[in-house]
Amino acid sequence: MSYEIITLSAYRTIGLKWEGTFSEIVPNLKNVIQQVEDRADELENKVNPNVQLGLSYHLIENGFVHYAVYEVSEEQEIPKGMIEIWVPEWTYVKTTHNKGEDVQKTYTDLNQWLFDSDYTAFREAGVDYYDPYMPIKHEHYPVDRDSNDPHFNIYIPIVKK
């Protein structure tokens, strides 16, 4: 696996929110992700229409809050039933999960990289997270992915140890 340290400027997203436990992921989270895909044409001002974002925050015991969103410009109005999330400028470690690989192994390898590196996962001040290793996970999915065997980029916000 290769790892790259990058900084992304702050950006605006719009989409749907899902919140639940790991045991509730199937089919609930997949349904929310599909709803955002089905409503993508309502977002006329997508910055990159070929990439859907999954922004996960481990704020729940045995679960997380997930935003299935697209990056949009400031001109984009918020469609009925959708929400807006602003992502601040952060530095990330970026890696790619490739089609045909085990997602769990991708994250295990990434966790090991973090452990061995000069970085640790970023935590927002005053926020209680339930994942001690990667409390914030951003995944960027190509819209043409195979939902049964996806490939996607992973971005973990980091700071120097």
Side-chain angles (χ1 to χ4, degrees), residues 110-111 126:
L110 177 54
N111 189 51

Side-chain angles (χ1 to χ4, degrees), residues 79-148:
K80 186 172 175 55
M82 289 193 182
I83 59 168
E84 167 188 67
I85 298 294
W86 280 90
V87 178
E89 178 177 293
W90 282 335
T91 298
Y92 299 84
V93 56
K94 175 189 173 192
T95 193
T96 300
H97 171 73
N98 295 304
K99 190 176 176 75
E101 295 178 353
D102 177 30
V103 174
Q104 190 68 41
K105 182 172 180 350
T106 299
Y107 272 107
T108 299
D109 291 349
L110 177 54
N111 189 51
Q112 186 62 51
W113 182 90
L114 274 171
F115 183 79
D116 294 338
S117 77
D118 295 334
Y119 298 93
T120 189
F122 171 77
R123 288 163 178 73
E124 293 175 282
V127 177
D128 292 327
Y129 294 101
Y130 287 93
D131 182 329
Y133 305 108
M134 287 183 258
I136 302 170
K137 299 177 181 96
H138 291 179
E139 297 174 338
H140 294 202
Y141 303 96
V143 293
D144 64 351
R145 70 190 175 278
D146 176 348
S147 60
N148 295 316

